[in-house]
């Protein structure tokens, strides 16, 4: 189970590749969904739906992660409630961008 250092601390994440190893011919890359749980929850929130999202019907690559001081991070030194006190929508969003950068997931601008 991987932990990843990002500027705000260390986060836990899981990667679930699509069941179909080859994406549909129209796609050059498999789309990735970043699954961000709500406050007070963990990456396990998505456990029931990940098999559906990664099935050949949808063919997504899913990345679920724990925000700072939640889930598997609540017991890691340096990622406790002291860091949670400074969380905001902006810092949570920045954690997603930092995760994407660390895993080399491209961003698409709309």
């Amino acid at each position: 189970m991987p932990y990843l250092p990002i500027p705000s601390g260390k986060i836990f994440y899981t990667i679930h590749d699509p069941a179909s190893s080859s994406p549909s011919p129209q796609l050059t890359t498999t789309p990735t969904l970043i699954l961000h749980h709500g406050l007070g929850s963990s990456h396990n929130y998505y456990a029931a739906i990940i098999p559906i999202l990664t099935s050949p019907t949808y063919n997504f690559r899913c990345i679920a992660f724990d925000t700072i001081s939640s889930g598997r991070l609540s017991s890691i030194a340096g990622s406790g409630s002291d860091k949670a006190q400074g969380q905001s929508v902006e810092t949570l969003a920045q954690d997603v961008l930092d995760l994407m950068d660390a895993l080399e997931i491209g961003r698409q601008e709309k």
Side-chain angles (χ1 to χ4, degrees), residues 80-93:
S81 61
D82 55 324
K83 293 208 177 200
Q85 295 298 325
Q87 285 184 339
S88 66
V89 171
E90 291 79 13
T91 61
L92 292 170

Side-chain angles (χ1 to χ4, degrees), residues 34-58:
I34 306 290
L35 305 175
H36 189 299
H37 63 79
L39 298 177
S41 188
S42 75
H43 73 282
N44 292 323
Y45 180 81
Y46 294 101
I49 196 167
I50 286 174
I52 296 165
L53 294 172
T54 57
S55 73
T57 302
Y58 295 99

Side-chain angles (χ1 to χ4, degrees), residues 57-98:
T57 302
Y58 295 99
N59 204 43
F60 286 110
R61 175 181 184 223
C62 294
I63 299 175
F65 72 101
D66 288 336
T67 59
I68 301 296
S69 77
S70 66
R72 294 190 183 202
L73 295 173
S74 60
S75 62
I76 294 177
S79 65
S81 61
D82 55 324
K83 293 208 177 200
Q85 295 298 325
Q87 285 184 339
S88 66
V89 171
E90 291 79 13
T91 61
L92 292 170
Q94 187 60 52
D95 287 348
V96 172
L97 295 175
D98 291 339

